[in-house]
Amino acid sequence: MNSDYKQFQVFNNIETLNTFTNLFSDNKIDFEVENNSKIFDPSFANNDFEKEYIVKIHPNDFEKVYDLEEEIIKNEIQNTPEDYYLFDYNNSELLDIVNKRDEWNAFDYYLAKKILNDRGNLITEEKIIEIKKERIEELKKPTEIKSIWIILLYLITILGIFLPLFIGLSSIIYGYFIRSMKKTLPNGESVYQFSEKDRKHGTVFLFGGIFFFIFWILFFALK
């Protein structure tokens, strides 16, 4: 696995995945597929929602793939059934799809643009560039962890003084997650999931947990 590659899209259907990856191959775009599907489906229904294929590409190729998608979907859109659900959306709802491209599949995104244009609400290339910039800035904002959870995690870390290994291990896991978790933006850029303040708390949980974890290992080893 190439650590420089970032998640671009998730598929639940192998046929759709193959169509997508064939597009990459035809245009000489390097990619990786990570299969996160459940090995066993207890319902025996072979449900597509139990399958998850994550396609990863280099961040520099994100915009190139968006352009390729658009060229393909332009032809598909012409054959959209008249009863397709987006035709019942008002302009505000359609604009929300255009503004939040990362939350919708490519077909719905491009169809929403077409419907708006057909209704006289022209979405120019300049407007798209502006929307992209605003969306990236919005998504860059870190997630704030509620104070009650920070307090609870400090209590868990402190309990590592009195309780055996699993408390320290919990503190390590949560601390590492808060300190290191990143998210990939639609332009391929990676940013930290949590704020600088929360990541400092995460550092305390991480190293506090490591300290008490080692303490209890030594305690039982020397006992």
Side-chain angles (χ1 to χ4, degrees):
M1 289 290 182
N2 191 322
S3 60
D4 291 333
Y5 289 7
K6 304 297 180 184
Q7 178 175 318
F8 180 77
Q9 197 163 336
V10 178
F11 295 89
N12 301 111
N13 179 280
I14 190 67
E15 287 78 17
T16 306
L17 170 69
N18 289 337
T19 300
F20 203 83
T21 53
N22 287 339
L23 174 69
F24 287 172
S25 299
D26 292 343
N27 289 274
K28 296 181 172 57
I29 296 173
D30 293 329
F31 66 92
E32 293 177 351
V33 177
E34 183 178 309
N35 188 348
N36 280 359
S37 306
K38 290 185 178 179
I39 296 175
F40 174 68
D41 179 4
S43 69
F44 298 99
N46 196 27
N47 193 334
D48 279 344
F49 291 107
E50 299 293 333
K51 298 179 174 64
E52 183 179 87
Y53 306 99
I54 300 174
V55 175
K56 296 181 177 182
I57 60 177
H58 195 280
N60 292 343
D61 290 326
F62 272 46
E63 287 300 325
K64 182 179 180 180
V65 175
Y66 287 141
D67 292 339
L68 289 171
E69 274 186 333
E70 184 169 13
E71 288 304 312
I72 292 174
I73 291 171
K74 275 180 180 177
N75 297 324
E76 295 181 11
I77 284 176
Q78 305 306 320
N79 301 316
T80 307
E82 293 182 1
D83 60 351
Y84 194 76
Y85 73 101
L86 285 189
F87 289 113
D88 293 328
Y89 277 36
N90 60 41
N91 291 346
S92 177
E93 291 170 325
L94 292 170
L95 189 57
D96 189 60
I97 295 175
V98 175
N99 288 339
K100 299 177 180 177
R101 173 179 182 166
D102 53 288
E103 295 182 0
W104 294 81
N105 63 61
F107 184 88
D108 284 352
Y109 168 75
Y110 291 113
L111 180 57
K113 281 205 306 180
K114 182 180 184 302
I115 295 173
L116 284 169
N117 288 335
D118 290 346
R119 291 178 181 176
N121 296 274
L122 188 61
I123 306 295
T124 63
E125 195 59 38
E126 290 76 14
K127 179 64 175 175
I128 291 297
I129 292 173
E130 180 185 340
I131 288 172
K132 284 181 180 178
K133 288 181 179 178
E134 290 177 354
R135 182 61 174 163
I136 291 298
E137 290 305 312
E138 180 182 348
L139 292 173
K140 275 185 178 180
K141 295 176 182 177
T143 302
E144 294 288 339
I145 302 176
K146 292 183 178 180
S147 298
I148 185 64
W149 290 110
I150 294 294
I151 293 170
L152 181 61
L153 287 169
Y154 269 109
L155 288 174
I156 290 174
T157 302
I158 293 169
L159 283 174
I161 302 172
F162 310 104
L163 297 175
L165 303 176
F166 70 92
I167 292 293
L169 188 58
S170 297
S171 184
I172 292 171
I173 293 171
Y174 286 117
Y176 180 80
F177 176 79
I178 294 170
R179 184 173 184 262
S180 306
M181 185 67 178
K182 288 187 174 183
K183 55 185 175 182
T184 301
L185 304 179
N187 63 353
E189 180 184 357
S190 290
V191 296
Y192 283 108
Q193 176 77 41
F194 301 104
S195 66
E196 178 68 23
K197 178 185 68 176
D198 287 337
R199 287 193 292 116
K200 287 180 179 177
H201 290 309
T203 300
V204 174
F205 304 147
L206 174 63
F207 289 104
I210 290 173
F211 175 82
F212 292 123
F213 189 76
I214 293 174
F215 169 82
W216 282 109
I217 288 177
L218 293 175
F219 176 83
F220 288 117
L222 299 174
K223 190 173 180 181

